[in-house]
Amino acid sequence: MGGMASPRRDLAVRAAVAQGLLTPGSPVVALLDTAGIRASAAALTSAFAAVTQAGVLHAFAVKAAPLVPVLRLLAEAGIGAEVASPGELALARAAGVPPSRTVLDSPAKTPAELREALALGIAVNADNLQELARIDALVASTPTASPLGLRVNPQVGAGAIGALSTATATSKFGVALRDDGAREAVVQAYLDRPWLTRLHTHTGSQGVPLTLMAEGVRAAYELAEEINTKAGRPQIDTLDIGGGLPVNFASDEETPTYADYARLLAGTVPGLLDGRYRLVTEFGRSLLAKHGTVLTRVEYTKTSGGRPIAVTHAGVQLATRTVYAPEAWPLRILAYDPEGRPRTGGTTVQDVAGPACFAGDLLAAGRALPLLHPGDVVAVPDTGAYAFAHHYAYNSLPRPAVHGFTVTGDGAGDGTVAFALVRPAQTPEELVAEAGGGHADALVR
């Protein structure tokens, strides 16, 4: 899927140092490989085009990388937006994603959110029957062009990471199909609402095997078939099968692929792909993770209890999940010298620490790497999703600058790297403003 191959990444690291993006005064920066993002988008669209002739809307899960230039890049590559909050909708609109290519999912939509979406003609998936009743009133009062659906939980089980498994027996998402009376209630809800034409499910993401994802899709397909049979017409014309393709964080290899998943769906749910149903997908992490890298300078090195420790400026504020759940979210660490050239030679078991004031702020513990020195550059690949775009403001650490990059030339060691600013670094003045600096006397008047 066009991941950030090592030669392109190595060129970008050295160029970031040479062009002054990473300096002693700006010791952490994030990079996005635009060619890799485009390649992943192309891999997704071609994988599904190979298994179905029906229309497919691939809607990027904005939560995975809520950056307007990224959404614009994806939109130009034919990818829409799946949004789950007013903020994410605002980002998608700012990126120029049209309502017809936007899908609103959320378990807690307010009446105002629903009214806005229906007024714009954005597709809406209700999370539960109470929300469906709320939509009833809105549809009755004001006609809408929005395609409308309902999310169901097929309750097919959990993957390796419970917090990211959304089709468990007690998941907070969707209508639980195996609960007593639930399936019958869902079928009746559709028969009572001729305008309800979509069905949505999502089994989970990282840690969820492809076979479990496909089983969740099959359950939704079988429900759609049942509803259409009882309605006596193809009332449900679109199945939103969610996203969730897991990412390999162990190497540069991109596996599994979208083609793997599309072929599995073709074998598991052939009726889904026979042209009768349009599809919506909602992939996020798998489109962006492999194309982002955090760079940080090593500020100090020390030894504690006989173990070397490299103290850097990247930690919990950028790799929050890794710091708090390292077993579930391990990240690779790559070592470069102060000029951004890969360090080679023997390895030493060492810790790579972040700047936050708590003991658990470690990017990696007991990792075998070339021995790091002050001024060296540490690169943390596979951080393009759910990492530097989701800043965690521990210790009031500032958000880093994010730059996209392109490589011209052969891309195998001699290319030229051009950077484009995606988001500027957060300034001290912006930090103070966010912390109520304009209201300093509010509590002492």
Side-chain angles (χ1 to χ4, degrees):
M1 294 188 298
M4 189 186 291
S6 181
R8 279 210 309 274
R9 181 174 54 233
D10 288 348
L11 283 169
V13 173
R14 190 164 184 184
V17 175
Q19 297 184 35
L21 273 61
L22 187 72
T23 67
S26 299
V28 61
V29 69
L31 305 181
L32 284 167
D33 179 1
T34 57
I37 296 171
R38 288 191 180 98
S40 281
L44 173 58
T45 55
S46 63
F48 277 80
V51 296
T52 181
Q53 298 301 309
V56 184
L57 169 62
H58 297 292
F60 174 68
V62 172
K63 64 182 73 68
L67 296 166
V68 171
V70 168
L71 304 183
R72 174 68 67 84
L73 175 64
L74 288 169
E76 293 198 356
I79 308 297
E82 183 268 334
V83 301
S85 72
E88 289 183 357
L89 176 56
L91 296 180
R93 297 189 71 189
V97 181
S100 62
R101 300 186 64 77
T102 304
V103 180
L104 173 63
D105 296 317
S106 161
K109 307 179 197 71
T110 66
E113 289 177 63
L114 289 169
R115 277 193 295 270
E116 180 183 23
L118 296 179
L120 290 170
I122 288 169
V124 176
N125 289 316
D127 179 78
N128 55 71
L129 297 178
Q130 290 179 4
E131 184 180 344
L132 203 52
R134 182 175 286 179
I135 293 173
D136 283 342
L138 295 173
V139 170
S141 63
T142 307
T144 178
S146 292
L148 299 170
L150 177 67
R151 178 169 182 169
V152 295
N153 171 12
Q155 293 173 294
V156 292
I161 303 175
L164 271 66
S165 300
T166 56
T168 61
T170 56
S171 170
K172 76 176 189 178
F173 293 102
V175 179
L177 283 183
R178 297 183 184 179
D179 284 13
D180 287 345
R183 188 182 189 94
E184 294 77 8
V186 168
V187 172
Q188 192 60 50
Y190 275 84
L191 297 179
D192 291 342
R193 297 168 176 83
W195 43 264
L196 202 57
T197 60
R198 291 189 170 191
L199 186 63
H200 173 42
T201 195
H202 174 69
T203 299
S205 53
Q206 195 67 19
V208 175
L210 298 192
T211 51
L212 193 65
M213 292 167 55
E215 284 302 315
V217 173
R218 177 160 65 181
Y221 164 76
E222 290 172 350
L223 177 60
E225 292 282 280
E226 178 182 345
I227 290 168
N228 286 348
T229 296
K230 291 183 176 177
R233 65 187 182 89
Q235 176 175 337
I236 296 176
D237 59 26
T238 302
L239 280 168
D240 183 334
I241 63 172
L245 192 77
V247 168
N248 165 35
F249 288 98
S251 73
D252 282 332
E253 183 182 4
E254 294 201 47
T255 179
T257 66
Y258 294 119
D260 293 335
Y261 183 44
R263 285 192 295 266
L264 178 62
L265 287 175
T268 306
V269 204
L272 175 72
L273 304 171
D274 64 10
R276 291 177 297 131
Y277 292 99
R278 293 191 295 271
L279 299 181
V280 177
T281 73
E282 300 176 356
F283 294 101
R285 178 180 291 105
S286 54
L287 279 165
L288 259 293
K290 303 296 285 186
H291 312 308
T293 298
V294 169
L295 303 184
T296 181
R297 286 173 52 88
V298 176
E299 194 67 48
Y300 301 111
T301 57
K302 64 177 79 172
T303 300
S304 183
R307 175 174 292 178
I309 302 171
V311 181
T312 79
H313 293 270
V316 71
Q317 84 278 30
L318 304 178
T320 313
R321 284 174 166 168
T322 295
V323 167
Y324 284 123
E327 295 81 10
W329 298 100
L331 286 171
R332 290 182 291 151
I333 304 294
L334 306 177
Y336 295 80
D337 70 15
E339 283 72 47
R341 295 173 298 213
R343 279 210 176 277
T344 57
T347 61
T348 301
V349 174
Q350 55 199 299
D351 291 352
V352 181
C357 289
F358 77 100
D361 186 27
L362 298 171
L363 288 172
R367 191 71 59 87
L369 298 163
L371 187 63
L372 293 164
H373 304 276
D376 278 357
V377 176
V378 164
V380 190
D382 306 335
T383 46
Y386 298 104
F388 50 73
H390 301 71
H391 190 76
Y392 178 49
Y394 200 102
N395 281 148
S396 295
L397 292 165
R399 289 188 294 271
V402 179
H403 297 265
F405 73 87
T406 56
V407 178
T408 56
D410 63 14
D414 299 319
T416 300
V417 181
F419 293 102
L421 183 63
V422 171
R423 182 189 69 192
Q426 189 177 27
T427 66
E429 293 76 17
E430 289 168 337
L431 270 169
V432 170
E434 287 189 5
H439 308 275
D441 294 332
L443 303 180
V444 296
R445 290 174 181 165

